[in-house]
Amino acid sequence: MATTLKTALISGAGSGIGRGIARALDGLGIRLALLGRESAKLEETRAGLSGGASALTVSCDVADRNGVGGAVEKVLETFGSIDILVCNAGTNVRNRKLDVLAPEDWDRMVAVNLTGPFNLVKAVLPSMRERGSGLIIQICSISGLRASTLGGAGYSASKFGQSALGMCLGREEGIRGIRSTVIYPGEVNTPILDARPVPVPADRRAAILQPEDIAAAVKFLVELDPRARVPELVMTPTVDDFC
């Protein structure tokens, strides 16, 4: 199915899950638009792709609505279409409990984790509607399905919102041939763990999900026949309990 899904826009593509997804889709021969705040990290991702020469890097903060609009325009001008949108950019803070959670940290998490995906969807959706096809994937979190004190109230609230965005999107746009999936990963070994109040030990990092695990799920969704969609997909480390 990769031949009918030719261009993917991935936010948060400079490291972690975003970089893993870029590598997986590059392996399918899909043209890539890599979106992130730091140009140097995007270039590192591009350098590791076999099709890196054709990949487009665009520096943008997903919380900046005008910036996202300009980035999407650039991708459409370069490639002509965006067939796959992966809303992956996300953030968390160190002080997560409500008694120490700063209002500005709450605002930033909502801006990146919830408003960011909305900005991307709002900018990309019109072109998908015109073509009558598209795949939009929200890289959410298990904290968007089960409120987590580990992730924190602000992070959980923003991720619950992202989940609702993806679910409503699928219900509204399926009739137009646009598929929407919300992926809820448990703990993943990415740089976001560095913001934890308590450092994550090496043995725990090795036991939890890795970026390539989430990338494999995205690859599955991309290769799935467009007649079928997966509204929600939960992924957790095997060593963890989930109920």
Side-chain angles (χ1 to χ4, degrees):
M1 299 309 300
T3 56
T4 62
L5 294 169
K6 296 183 179 179
T7 303
L9 171 58
I10 306 168
S11 69
S15 65
I17 294 173
R19 182 172 289 179
I21 292 170
R23 289 172 176 168
L25 299 190
D26 175 59
L28 295 178
I30 293 172
R31 298 174 303 184
L32 300 176
L34 310 174
L35 185 68
R37 289 187 300 156
E38 299 182 43
S39 298
K41 289 185 177 180
L42 294 176
E43 291 301 331
E44 288 177 6
T45 297
R46 179 161 69 172
L49 304 175
S50 60
S54 64
L56 176 68
T57 61
V58 185
S59 298
C60 175
D61 186 337
V62 293
D64 177 1
R65 186 161 297 142
N66 291 331
V68 168
V72 169
E73 286 181 10
K74 184 175 181 180
V75 176
L76 290 173
E77 288 172 0
T78 302
F79 293 131
S81 68
I82 298 173
D83 305 286
I84 307 158
L85 169 62
V86 183
C87 298
N88 167 70
T91 192
N92 205 340
V93 297
R94 190 170 299 278
N95 297 319
R96 303 177 181 186
K97 292 184 178 180
L98 284 170
D99 60 345
V100 294
L101 179 58
E104 56 269 25
D105 284 342
W106 170 280
D107 290 346
R108 182 60 183 166
M109 283 187 284
V110 171
V112 174
N113 299 344
L114 177 54
T115 303
F118 170 79
N119 291 341
L120 285 162
V121 168
K122 198 71 174 176
V124 170
L125 202 52
S127 65
M128 288 186 171
R129 284 173 173 157
E130 286 179 8
R131 295 192 315 279
S133 66
L135 172 62
I136 299 177
I137 301 170
Q138 304 292 334
I139 305 299
C140 192
S141 168
I142 204 72
S143 294
L145 194 63
R146 306 281 193 272
S148 165
T149 55
L150 181 64
Y155 183 77
S156 294
S158 65
K159 289 297 183 177
F160 263 80
Q162 184 185 9
S163 169
L165 172 66
M167 293 303 293
C168 288
L169 174 65
R171 297 185 72 178
E172 292 182 14
E173 300 297 332
I175 193 67
R176 298 184 177 93
I178 298 167
R179 297 175 292 152
S180 174
T181 298
V182 182
I183 298 179
Y184 305 94
E187 282 188 284
V188 186
N189 185 20
T190 70
I192 200 171
L193 293 183
D194 297 336
R196 284 277 181 86
V198 178
V200 182
D203 59 342
R204 174 64 182 172
R205 284 180 177 261
I208 60 179
L209 298 172
Q210 303 299 312
E212 55 265 32
D213 300 325
I214 315 306
V218 171
K219 180 176 180 288
F220 156 71
L221 295 169
V222 168
E223 293 185 305
L224 190 65
D225 192 288
R227 67 174 173 265
R229 74 179 179 98
V230 180
E232 298 179 282
L233 179 59
V234 177
M235 300 180 68
T236 66
T238 302
V239 296
D240 286 357
D241 184 27
F242 177 81
C243 62

